[in-house]
Amino acid sequence: MPTPDPAAEPDLERVRVEDLPDHVGRDVRLRGWVRHFRSSGKIAFLEVRDGSGEVQAVFPRDQVDDGSWETLDEVHYEASVEVRGTVEEDERAPGGHEISATGLTLVGPSEDYPIQPKEHGVDFLLDHRHLWLRHPRQVAIMRVRNEVVRAIRDFYYERDFVLIDTPILTGSIGEEAGTLFETEYFDEGAAYLAQTGQLYAEAAAAAHDRVYCFGPTFRAEKSKSPQHLTEFWMVEPEVAWLDSEGNMALQEEFVTFIVKRALERCGDELETLERDTGPLETVLSERFERMSYTEAVESVRSDGVEIEWGEDLRGEAEKALMEGRSRPLFVYDWPKEAKAFYMKVNPEDPRTVKCDDLLAPEGYGELIGGSQREDDHDILLSRIREEGLPEEAYDWYLDLRRYGTFPHSGFGLGVERTVAWICGTEHVRECIPFPRLTNRIEP
Ligand code: 4AD
Ligand code: MG
């Protein structure tokens, strides 16, 4: 057959894979990237993905023009193409449809695509993250992330929280001095990349009652654990008139909402990821357990883990604590020394602060850190001094206690850890498009 000029077929409707069910029997064009190809000399098969799905295009030699047939020889993995043909129903095909193709245009060749259909080491894949993003697993994870982010925004919007965008360049230390990225800021001295937007969200809570900030946050943590990034996304609600109990109730409602949404809308993605959704389902049906820090220490000691009261519950201790659990667990009222300066000192036991960590099951670690905030000016000032923080930088923050102070609480949920848990990935580095790790700033 002679080669038709695609421009001479301007009426050919361009469709996406997801639209195929509405176009059965019609001639269409479809654009995308080649995932797989094979040819027998008489017939060729191209698997094309276009962001909305994947479809197989079948090219019988006698149905295809000469130019398109020659083009098939130039096609490699991940080349971009336009396929023309008729949409056919086919029960055996993934998605139930196939294209009986008549024409092919190679838009962008892709010789020697670095990622081949074989095992590659994770460093190699991370070096090629800009290409690795196209892999079906990575596509699935990013789609789950998209849905999680959407759920987060919906949850707060539906509950009348006001979104407050907090600065990334800050003058005050949000969490702890040890993990700051620092830069010179003109004549103003040191500026830091925000570890949290919380202190600003607290100011806005006095204006709007309930607010949240949601953006990238930074920690210069030398940790190589599968739960740490140096740049990660955190959502931080802040609520006036809420105590620590109410804060945990809000966290539970929130996490349940996200998991429910992911199960409802990401069934295909979780299947691609081979995620056993059983443990996620239990999150929806049963209340999260709550345990004080002191009880948690006793519990892990009885499992034979050596730990002093006052230490963090990491590694062995956390493992022992979460063993056999399929739902997240709240650990509340931690020792003052283990936590940030702004947490409210517990009036019933001043060695502790009114706070909680929400620990995920299956080894995914701390999803949330939250607390009631110290609303007493003098106690807060003495905590700032105890921690050796520069007082001047917190003058504005202390103003919130000087002018109309109010009981309030809030928390931060890490997006990548949440996505890792829902997807069942081994490491948070796959749960953000371009991960920043201690040894990685590119691509
Ligand atoms: O417990 P964190 O440090 O709490 C705060 O930053 C508070 N200001 C939050 C608040 O009360 N508004 O961090 C909260 C969550 C953690 O539970 C974890 O999910 C995530 O942020 N996170 C990290 N995620 C990836 N990489 C890291 N290095 C992380 N550090 C914290
Ligand atoms: Mg924490």
Side-chain angles (χ1 to χ4, degrees):
M1 273 205 265
T3 303
D5 174 5
E9 298 180 76
D11 296 337
L12 211 49
E13 189 184 352
R14 195 192 137 206
V15 296
R16 305 220 311 157
V17 172
E18 65 184 357
D19 306 324
L20 293 178
D22 303 329
H23 290 79
V24 175
R26 306 243 292 271
D27 291 341
V28 298
R29 66 172 91 198
L30 190 135
R31 289 176 180 167
W33 292 262
V34 173
R35 266 214 60 70
H36 197 72
F37 56 92
R38 66 197 157 87
S39 173
S40 73
K42 283 198 180 124
I43 189 163
F45 301 89
L46 279 196
E47 272 167 43
V48 179
R49 58 161 184 89
D50 73 348
S52 78
E54 253 180 68
V55 69
Q56 175 165 272
V58 185
F59 295 80
R61 175 64 191 97
D62 54 8
Q63 184 179 293
V64 177
D65 62 82
D66 297 341
S68 295
W69 189 257
E70 277 159 31
T71 302
L72 278 164
D73 284 338
E74 294 158 36
V75 161
H76 295 94
Y77 292 114
E78 295 301 332
S80 52
V81 294
E82 178 177 282
V83 172
R84 294 174 293 281
T86 313
V87 181
E88 287 184 352
E89 227 156 3
D90 183 347
E91 272 176 26
R92 292 156 307 167
H97 296 84
E98 211 173 61
I99 308 250
S100 174
T102 51
L104 177 73
T105 304
L106 181 61
V107 180
S110 174
E111 249 176 281
D112 304 322
Y113 185 69
I115 304 177
Q116 290 293 312
K118 61 163 194 176
E119 285 284 313
H120 288 285
V122 74
D123 274 323
F124 178 88
L125 291 169
L126 283 169
D127 286 342
H128 294 87
R129 181 61 172 168
H130 50 293
L131 302 174
W132 190 29
L133 280 176
R134 304 181 187 188
H135 189 274
R137 261 188 70 86
Q138 301 305 315
V139 167
I141 296 169
M142 285 308 122
R143 290 190 158 237
V144 172
R145 182 183 169 109
N146 175 52
E147 208 51 64
V148 165
V149 168
R150 176 72 196 267
I152 289 169
R153 296 198 185 279
D154 286 349
F155 182 86
Y156 291 109
Y157 190 80
E158 285 168 14
R159 284 162 184 74
D160 284 332
F161 283 63
V162 177
L163 172 67
I164 298 293
D165 297 313
T166 53
I168 284 173
L169 283 169
T170 70
S172 36
I173 303 166
E175 288 294 317
E176 47 167 333
T179 61
L180 288 167
F181 283 110
E182 193 176 322
T183 181
E184 278 306 307
Y185 196 77
F186 306 104
D187 297 331
E188 299 297 310
Y192 312 108
L193 292 182
Q195 295 174 315
T196 170
Q198 177 199 322
L199 308 197
Y200 302 98
E202 285 186 57
H208 301 279
D209 182 65
R210 52 192 67 185
V211 300
Y212 73 104
C213 60
F214 188 11
T217 42
F218 304 86
R219 306 274 166 102
E221 257 170 304
K222 290 240 169 66
S223 173
K224 293 214 179 347
S225 93
Q227 278 130 22
H228 286 85
L229 296 162
T230 56
E231 176 175 337
F232 63 97
W233 280 62
M234 179 158 58
V235 53
E236 299 180 89
E238 194 67 36
V239 189
W241 320 113
L242 192 71
D243 65 7
S244 188
E245 265 303 309
N247 197 24
M248 284 189 268
L250 180 65
Q251 291 164 46
E252 179 164 349
E253 189 187 349
F254 179 43
V255 169
T256 307
F257 183 92
I258 295 174
V259 172
K260 183 162 181 278
R261 177 68 76 83
L263 287 171
E264 278 167 7
R265 300 199 185 170
C266 299
D268 290 348
E269 286 79 9
L270 296 177
E271 206 180 303
T272 300
L273 295 165
E274 297 174 344
R275 173 65 161 124
D276 171 11
T277 52
L280 297 176
E281 307 276 353
T282 65
V283 171
L284 306 187
S285 54
E286 289 169 65
R287 210 166 163 256
F288 299 178
E289 268 182 80
R290 287 157 169 71
M291 190 185 265
S292 73
Y293 169 85
T294 303
E295 286 165 347
V297 167
E298 280 160 15
S299 158
V300 301
R301 273 186 191 153
S302 72
D303 290 327
V305 178
E306 279 180 39
I307 183 170
E308 291 292 322
W309 192 96
E311 279 178 52
D312 209 344
L313 298 171
R314 294 228 174 117
E316 278 293 285
E318 187 185 305
K319 211 171 147 203
L321 200 57
M322 296 311 290
E323 182 77 42
R325 293 177 198 276
S326 58
R327 279 168 296 148
L329 171 74
F330 284 111
V331 179
Y332 62 87
D333 290 4
W334 289 63
K336 202 163 68 172
E337 290 71 30
K339 293 291 175 189
F341 70 97
Y342 51 71
M343 295 187 181
K344 187 174 180 59
V345 176
N346 189 355
E348 275 133 48
D349 177 5
R351 296 179 311 157
T352 64
V353 282
K354 299 300 291 175
C355 70
D356 68 87
D357 277 8
L358 182 65
L359 304 177
E362 303 174 80
Y364 287 95
E366 180 199 319
L367 292 181
I368 288 182
S371 65
Q372 188 166 343
R373 318 308 190 186
E374 185 54 74
D375 46 27
D376 181 283
H377 174 276
D378 295 347
I379 299 178
L380 183 59
L381 181 59
S382 69
R383 290 287 293 124
I384 289 169
R385 288 180 177 155
E386 263 170 41
E387 298 285 323
L389 294 166
E391 239 172 275
E392 333 72 68
Y394 295 92
D395 201 41
W396 70 265
Y397 186 62
L398 286 159
D399 265 357
L400 308 177
R401 279 74 181 166
R402 289 187 191 109
Y403 306 108
T405 192
F406 57 114
H408 60 290
S409 299
F411 62 87
L413 170 127
V415 169
E416 291 76 18
R417 288 191 195 173
T418 305
V419 172
W421 169 47
I422 291 173
C423 290
T425 62
E426 262 171 47
H427 198 297
V428 287
R429 65 191 165 209
E430 282 182 77
C431 299
I432 187 163
F434 293 94
R436 296 292 174 248
L437 303 162
T438 50
N439 63 347
R440 184 170 293 281
I441 190 91
E442 283 175 343

